[in-house]
Amino acid sequence: MTTNVLILCTHNSARSVLSEGMLNHLAVKAGKDVRAYSAGSAPSGRLNPFALEALTQAGVDVSGYRSKSWDEFTTPEAPPLSIVITVCDSAAAEQCPVFFGAGIYGGQPVKVHWGYPDPSNAEGGDEGKRRAFELTRQAIGYRMLQLLALPLDTMTKAELQQALADISKS
């Protein structure tokens, strides 16, 4: 059964998109049955061009990506979520909606916060932003590799919660 992961950030334009792209890209390369999605509580309706550039330069296909609301994942038709990861501080503080069908772990999905500074706020003009987005993409990729190394098919919900919390400290 596919492990569906929803990555949340308030505007769904940068960090959550970087996370979705990296997790999907790395999962395919590793042959893992993991599928990432991203969404926001107040989606901007546009993707940050620096995020798309960083992903594209890393070999990630960004066609079909869009900024979307987390409401799309609260319906019975939504993919059954196993994991929900927040990647920005404002999203971590928000009350998440109820997500249906918690995938392979049953009940509500396992939730964890993996915060990253907003690369959109980097100084140094466009070059500073490019550098910040690339560094953020690399940091996200590192954590996603750790997630993919977990024995997701055999872990209990409690074991997964602890493993994801441990990853957040790396």
Side-chain angles (χ1 to χ4, degrees):
M1 180 179 205
T2 302
T3 300
N4 292 305
V5 180
L6 178 61
I7 301 144
L8 301 175
C9 198
T10 303
H11 300 298
N12 188 218
S13 64
R15 290 166 282 183
S16 54
V17 172
L18 289 169
S19 300
E20 175 185 13
M22 289 308 297
L23 183 53
N24 283 330
H25 180 73
L26 294 168
V28 168
K29 286 179 79 170
K32 299 286 186 165
D33 192 11
V34 174
R35 176 75 171 102
Y37 303 89
S38 68
S41 57
S44 67
R46 68 168 196 75
L47 300 178
N48 188 300
F50 292 108
L52 296 176
E53 181 180 312
L55 287 169
T56 301
Q57 289 184 351
V60 177
D61 178 11
V62 296
S63 60
Y65 280 33
R66 64 187 174 84
S67 177
K68 57 200 162 299
S69 172
W70 64 11
D71 292 340
E72 291 186 26
F73 297 90
T74 62
T75 67
E77 296 79 35
L81 300 172
S82 298
I83 301 169
V84 174
I85 302 170
T86 55
V87 292
C88 65
D89 291 334
S90 53
E94 293 175 2
Q95 183 64 37
C96 285
V98 172
F99 296 108
F100 289 91
I104 61 176
Y105 300 103
Q108 284 292 297
V110 173
K111 295 176 187 165
V112 67
H113 177 65
W114 291 352
Y116 301 95
D118 188 352
S120 303
N121 295 331
E123 297 178 1
D126 285 356
E127 279 313 304
K129 288 190 187 330
R130 275 189 185 89
R131 191 169 32 258
F133 271 86
E134 176 56 20
L135 291 172
T136 302
R137 185 199 65 76
Q138 290 176 20
I140 287 168
Y142 177 70
R143 283 187 176 159
M144 295 308 175
L145 284 171
Q146 292 177 77
L147 185 154
L148 291 170
L150 297 174
L152 297 170
D153 294 341
T154 60
M155 297 179 88
T156 67
K157 195 170 183 176
E159 290 169 337
L160 177 63
Q161 182 73 62
Q162 184 59 55
L164 295 175
D166 291 346
I167 291 170
S168 74
K169 298 171 189 159
S170 65

